[in-house]
Amino acid sequence: MGVNDSDSRKDSITSSTSSSHLDLELLQRLFVKFEPDLTIDSYEEAQGSGRGDNYTAALFRIALKGHTQPEGSSKKLKWEKSIICKRLPDCKIKREAFKSEALFRNEVVFYNTIMPEYIEFQRRQLAAASGTGKDQTGTTDVLGEHGIFQAIPQCYLARDDLLVLEDLRVRSFTMPDRQAGLGPKQLEAVLVELAKFHAVSLAYKRRHPLEFQKLANALEEGIFSQANAEWYRKYYDVLTRNAIQMVRQTVPEKKEHLAKLEAFLSNCFGHLVELVNRKSELSVICHGDCWTNNILFRYADDGAIAETCLVDFQLIRHGSLALDLAYLIYCCTDGSLRKKNLQNWLQTYHRQLVQSLRFLLGELFDEVFGSEKRLWELLNDDFKVCARFGLGTAMDMLPISTCSSEEAPDLYASGTDTAATPPELNVPPNEMCRQKMTMLVLELIDGGML
């Protein structure tokens, strides 16, 4: 769809009916900062994600075309760039059902405030470690060499109604298969980046406690707050009934397991609120929504994972790092893989967490955590407590991740509803979902975590 065709789609990023209006003037202002001789002549847009890939915001891929003309030169050089634009859904009922405005603001805080502060903090620690006493400038490569967290797309603009981000596809990043979930190597690669991300929080909190609290206070819990309990009540009633039914249909003989499941799910939303608000030595700023569709990989020629990138920070929250681990592991992996690899995965995460913390904290590491062994014990204790958070979120995510694109809701379809209504679950569980849910429930109960 071309820029001159914006009237043909109500939900177009270029639609003048949207507050997040995008035009050549805005794009020119954004990119001339990086290339002063640039003139953007035109752009075209296309849908940036498929059905079932995104629910709280609309993504569009924008192809920019223009030219550069250095001062004093008569020659114009062709210039092209692809970017991702993320904006609120046009349909009011979709925005209000999932409280998209608040979630969008969280991501704006992440890109405008949290991540710049984290990058600068890591640069300062790198400078201190190198003995130069100087901040490292232009240090993207330098930071990467030291295992520092920077696994996010470049952000060109972040405001309450619009995000303009790097198109990772240009650098050959691809999204894993939503229905297949993550394999062992993919999961390990994500755990390494999560450990780096969480380590920055832990170190920054120790070195700058007041500043860290300000960052945490700038975030709004997107779902699991007591204020949202009534809004999501019917939604979670459906989720819990479906989960119980799936397990009962698959293993009807497991009476004691079903009783424990029903006891937990009788106040599922309340339990999830408690877990999110639980105090922990390992409280960090969490990604909050680390599932298959918010992870991209770039592969080397030999098929090995060369780089991992995390996207979509709308559900970012302040809570135990084990919330991210439970969400990722229990929503994105198969039970048979967890049985073989869970402890190895946690050890992979712990090794990187220790490595990053020792770099960022230096001699303060032992003062803060006592020893690497004690940090391992804290990690395991928190994971056992937060494992049930993985179950609570899996009830929501497994039907979405296992359904086909045709069965998934269409976020881009225009709607006529104007009344504020809670979200409705319209993705019926399938056989794959039933098997995954049952294996998860049995695993948690048999492991003493539910």
Side-chain angles (χ1 to χ4, degrees), residues 130-259:
S130 68
T132 65
K134 299 178 181 179
D135 287 349
Q136 303 290 313
T137 57
T139 55
T140 298
D141 292 336
V142 175
L143 290 177
E145 290 172 4
H146 287 78
I148 299 302
F149 179 76
Q150 53 181 356
I152 60 170
Q154 183 175 1
C155 179
Y156 303 108
L157 174 69
R159 68 187 194 196
D160 285 351
D161 59 353
L162 180 66
L163 289 172
V164 181
L165 303 166
E166 170 191 9
D167 182 359
L168 292 167
R169 190 177 65 172
V170 173
R171 291 200 280 136
S172 301
F173 277 89
T174 59
M175 186 185 295
D177 185 328
R178 170 168 52 86
Q179 291 179 285
L182 299 178
K185 294 298 183 183
Q186 292 174 318
L187 198 283
E188 288 177 5
V190 180
L191 287 172
V192 166
E193 295 304 331
L194 270 184
K196 294 177 185 177
F197 180 49
H198 294 158
V200 182
S201 275
L202 291 170
Y204 187 83
K205 179 172 64 173
R206 175 60 179 82
R207 291 189 180 274
H208 307 287
L210 294 180
E211 290 84 350
F212 177 82
Q213 195 58 51
K214 289 179 182 178
L215 296 181
N217 290 344
L219 301 173
E220 179 179 348
E221 171 55 41
I223 299 178
F224 301 115
S225 67
Q226 199 55 48
N228 287 338
E230 184 58 29
W231 184 258
Y232 285 108
R233 181 176 58 81
K234 291 183 179 179
Y235 185 77
Y236 273 83
D237 283 348
V238 175
L239 291 181
T240 55
R241 284 198 302 269
N242 285 349
I244 292 169
Q245 184 179 24
M246 284 187 280
V247 177
R248 182 177 287 123
Q249 289 175 342
T250 308
V251 286
E253 72 281 5
K254 299 283 188 178
K255 306 287 187 188
E256 292 185 8
H257 290 74
L258 282 164

Side-chain angles (χ1 to χ4, degrees), residues 311-340:
V311 299
D312 195 347
F313 290 83
Q314 292 192 346
L315 284 175
I316 190 169
R317 62 168 55 94
H318 181 215
S320 170
L321 54 78
L323 295 171
D324 271 351
L325 298 181
Y327 188 120
L328 171 70
I329 291 171
Y330 290 120
C331 291
C332 301
T333 64
D334 184 80
S336 60
L337 286 178
R338 292 194 298 270
K339 187 175 182 179
K340 297 177 183 176

